[in-house]
Amino acid sequence: MEDTPLLFAGLDVRFMVEIFPRMVQALLVTVQISALALLLGIVLGIPLGGLRVIGPRPLQLLIQGLVSYIRGTPQILHFLVVYFALPGVGILLDEYWTGVVALTVIAVGYEVEIVRAAIESVHKGQREAALAQGMTEPMAFWLILLPQATRRMLPALTNELINVIKASALLSVIAVNELTKVGNAIIYNTFYFVEVLLEVAVLYMLVIGALSWLSNYLENKVFSFGTALSTPETR
Amino acid sequence: MDEGHSSEPVLLRIEHLHKRFGTTAALVDASLTVRRGERVVLIGSSGSGKSTLLRCINHLEVPDQGSIWLDGEFMGGRFAADGRWIQASGGELARQRRHIGMVFQSFNLFAHLSALDNVALGPQWILKRPKALARAQARQLLAKVHLAGHEHKLPAQLSGGQQQRVAIARALAMEPKLMLFDEPTSALDPRLTREVLEVMLELAREQTTMLVVTHELGFARQVADTVGFLEEGRIVEVGTPEQIFDRPQHPSTQAFLNCFSPGGL
Ligand SMILES: Nc1ncnc2c1ncn2[C@@H]1O[C@H](COP(=O)(O)OP(=O)(O)O)[C@@H](O)[C@H]1O
Ligand SMILES: [Mg+2]
């Protein structure tokens, strides 16, 4: 009785329920590793994005070149580079952290651009007022530009988390127990591929759907200073 | 210049300033002197280089040629003992700019900060004053520009006239030696213009050294010790308000002022 398959539309529902806890566990690894990469990406992306806008010209070009390399090459390449290159220079990380580093590289490539666009969207009068008052460029960046840009970055960063989560499926090739890898392993052992793939897809969609909603919400609702940013008010 | 300030030391000396933007000559051989406590008003039609002149003074624009001294100190760099020119570092330039307050046509208040924080931020972060002191002084300055009770409001919640008065308080908070005003009321309707001009009149009465670009000729006549007229990047005529407004010598000045006189249209 226990082993009788419970079929629904040709799918073994009992099996799907049985593997559900493992899948959720794997999903948590996926989300955790992606969020970690996004955070590390922000920590690096903010200063790099800032320097990309206000830094000395050679540094701007260097950062631009780095961004072009990261965005202009397949993501799997970054995993392979990190996987093979880090041990080559004596840095030994386990699969989990190798994955985090590789995903961070991908995230930074996009976040530098997000930061740059947000900084440049702040009205140029803000920077001029800060400099005219006697702030240095770095002070103007941290005290005036970044706080205003942050609010504009949030929707784009939420979107970027979606991209990182999708990219994290590539970690299955280096044996990190994230969602795609765990799904693969179950298929390999049981051959229930339709049930497993369906469950994997639904779990990704739930998380990504929620993040899309959040991104739209942030875009539309929160964080706006009203009209003062762009045009002088004559009221 | 035969006013009461001729005995005061020179605070700002601009000599032979040139600035081009591509093929546009925005400033051509501009020279001007402002003494301590003097109030100088610059007039001229749109595009004549007035903003560029003010922006060169605090090096928001870097002049192509010419020199600017503020209180005896060369702006934007210095000459080494062997005569080589040494460009000011970012930090040195920032230190020099503290002494020059600037009020913009478009206010440019820090959009994410309350009125109080707009005024307190500079003293707190640039002059490294204790936060409580910076805020107490900011409160006083807001009261001085008739904005007591508006401390907590964001720029977007203030009228244009109120924003501009916050901007004046923000500049004053740095205790500058010189205040630059670039068409401070051009974005305002007549009623809001009055509130701002009243504050500027009070500053003038307190012997604040001011260099003001404005189209408010009544204000210019009332407060200016010296009026300068610009045309196509040149300062073509400088004199007392009486000289410039009542007996302009240069044909361009005459033509410009005719547009303002009651029968001018
Ligand atoms: N950043 C700039 N780039 C190119 N041209 C400029 C720039 N700033 C000013 N100009 C030009 O320089 C001239 C003087 O401008 P400006 O100083 O703003 O005049 P005013 O303030 O008297 O209206 C104008 O012809 C203007 O178009
Ligand atoms: Mg102008």
Side-chain angles (χ1 to χ4, degrees):
Chain A
M1 189 69 190
E2 272 282 309
D3 289 345
T4 322
L6 175 61
L7 293 176
F8 176 78
L11 298 172
D12 187 338
V13 177
R14 192 189 303 282
F15 175 75
M16 289 177 78
V17 171
E18 194 182 298
I19 61 170
F20 188 68
R22 282 168 73 196
M23 298 293 250
V24 169
Q25 187 94 45
L27 177 69
L28 288 180
V29 172
T30 288
V31 169
Q32 190 188 47
I33 213 166
S34 304
L36 209 52
L38 186 86
L39 277 180
L40 287 173
I42 291 172
V43 169
L44 291 170
I46 284 177
L48 287 176
L51 287 169
R52 170 78 181 74
V53 182
I54 64 163
R57 193 79 197 138
L59 202 53
Q60 288 191 18
L61 291 175
L62 191 72
I63 294 168
Q64 160 128 55
L66 189 70
V67 167
S68 300
Y69 161 72
I70 293 173
R71 299 179 57 152
T73 47
Q75 295 179 334
I76 187 92
L77 187 70
H78 306 310
F79 285 101
L80 297 177
V81 167
V82 170
Y83 192 67
F84 290 114
L86 287 188
V89 295
I91 302 174
L92 295 174
L93 299 175
D94 60 15
E95 282 83 7
Y96 183 88
W97 285 102
T98 302
V100 170
V101 171
L103 277 181
T104 302
V105 169
I106 291 172
V108 159
Y110 290 84
E111 283 166 22
V112 167
E113 286 300 285
I114 291 171
V115 173
R116 180 191 61 77
I119 294 287
E120 285 179 352
S121 77
V122 177
H123 190 258
K124 76 171 171 43
Q126 296 286 309
R127 174 177 159 270
E128 289 187 348
L131 295 184
Q133 216 188 4
M135 290 189 202
T136 57
E137 290 274 8
M139 275 176 109
F141 176 76
W142 288 108
L143 295 176
I144 306 301
L145 300 182
L146 189 60
Q148 293 185 39
T150 308
R151 299 159 199 234
R152 292 154 202 235
M153 283 191 263
L154 284 175
L157 284 175
T158 314
N159 251 328
E160 181 52 19
L161 182 56
I162 292 174
N163 290 332
V164 173
I165 286 175
K166 290 191 208 162
S168 71
L170 291 168
L171 294 183
S172 57
V173 303
I174 58 170
V176 176
N177 284 324
E178 48 68 62
L179 187 54
T180 301
K181 168 72 168 56
V182 167
N184 252 330
I186 295 174
I187 292 173
Y188 192 80
N189 290 330
T190 64
F191 296 100
Y192 277 99
F193 60 90
V194 178
E195 283 83 352
V196 174
L197 289 180
L198 188 68
E199 202 160 316
V200 166
V202 166
L203 286 175
Y204 273 124
M205 276 175 65
L206 282 178
V207 170
I208 287 172
L211 287 171
S212 298
W213 177 85
L214 180 65
S215 168
N216 278 333
Y217 174 80
L218 291 173
E219 189 128 38
N220 295 331
K221 178 151 189 313
V222 214
F223 307 124
S224 130
F225 307 111
T227 50
L229 281 177
S230 45
T231 47
E233 273 286 348
T234 330
R235 268 175 298 132
Chain B
M1 300 249 211
D2 50 349
E3 291 281 310
H5 297 284
S6 53
S7 58
E8 290 288 334
V10 170
L11 181 68
L12 174 74
R13 183 187 297 283
I14 301 170
E15 283 186 350
H16 308 300
L17 215 56
H18 291 257
K19 177 71 185 178
R20 301 186 74 88
F21 294 105
T23 55
T24 314
L27 282 180
V28 182
D29 199 26
S31 300
L32 186 73
T33 302
V34 180
R35 292 177 181 278
R36 182 162 295 142
E38 194 181 10
R39 288 138 307 194
V40 177
V41 170
L42 295 175
I43 56 175
S45 47
S46 167
S48 58
K50 307 179 298 296
S51 298
T52 306
L53 181 62
L54 294 199
R55 293 163 59 82
C56 280
I57 292 172
N58 64 8
H59 272 240
L60 282 183
E61 302 287 356
V62 181
D64 299 334
Q65 245 188 74
S67 39
I68 297 160
W69 283 272
L70 183 75
D71 214 5
E73 193 180 330
F74 218 102
M75 284 294 297
R78 64 198 161 80
F79 288 101
D82 59 2
R84 271 182 314 116
W85 170 249
I86 300 174
Q87 190 76 30
S89 68
E92 281 169 48
L93 198 54
R95 185 187 53 72
Q96 292 187 317
R97 283 175 176 146
R98 287 177 203 170
H99 302 300
I100 305 173
M102 187 158 196
V103 176
F104 299 86
Q105 180 178 349
S106 51
F107 326 138
N108 294 350
L109 286 185
F110 303 135
H112 61 305
L113 298 178
S114 68
L116 187 72
D117 287 332
N118 261 280
V119 181
L121 189 77
Q124 194 191 329
W125 288 88
I126 305 171
L127 303 179
K128 308 275 192 289
R129 298 222 171 119
K131 187 170 177 183
L133 176 63
R135 291 173 75 84
Q137 288 172 332
R139 235 170 254 287
Q140 286 175 5
L141 280 166
L142 285 176
K144 182 184 160 90
V145 298
H146 316 298
L147 283 173
H150 296 276
E151 290 85 357
H152 59 285
K153 290 187 185 162
L154 285 174
Q157 298 170 307
L158 296 169
S159 77
Q162 291 170 329
Q163 288 187 55
Q164 194 60 299
R165 286 182 282 146
V166 175
I168 293 172
R170 174 178 68 176
L172 291 174
M174 298 297 291
E175 295 165 15
K177 296 174 180 170
L178 169 69
M179 286 284 287
L180 305 176
F181 293 83
D182 190 358
E183 301 198 27
T185 60
S186 292
L188 302 176
D189 69 28
R191 186 173 56 85
L192 300 181
T193 294
R194 268 227 357 229
E195 327 177 329
V196 172
L197 290 183
E198 267 163 26
V199 167
M200 291 172 65
L201 277 171
E202 285 161 29
L203 291 182
R205 257 181 246 126
E206 294 165 10
Q207 305 296 311
T208 311
T209 315
M210 301 161 75
L211 181 52
V212 183
V213 171
T214 185
H215 295 298
E216 299 291 333
L217 300 190
F219 171 83
R221 193 187 272 276
Q222 197 176 346
V223 308
D225 303 301
T226 306
V227 178
F229 175 73
L230 272 84
E231 190 192 40
E232 295 181 358
R234 293 167 203 276
I235 302 180
V236 295
E237 193 169 354
V238 176
T240 63
E242 293 73 30
Q243 284 168 345
I244 298 294
F245 293 126
D246 300 335
R247 301 180 298 279
Q249 300 299 308
H250 199 282
S252 307
T253 318
Q254 292 162 358
F256 177 77
L257 291 171
N258 269 336
C259 303
F260 284 87
S261 61
L265 293 175

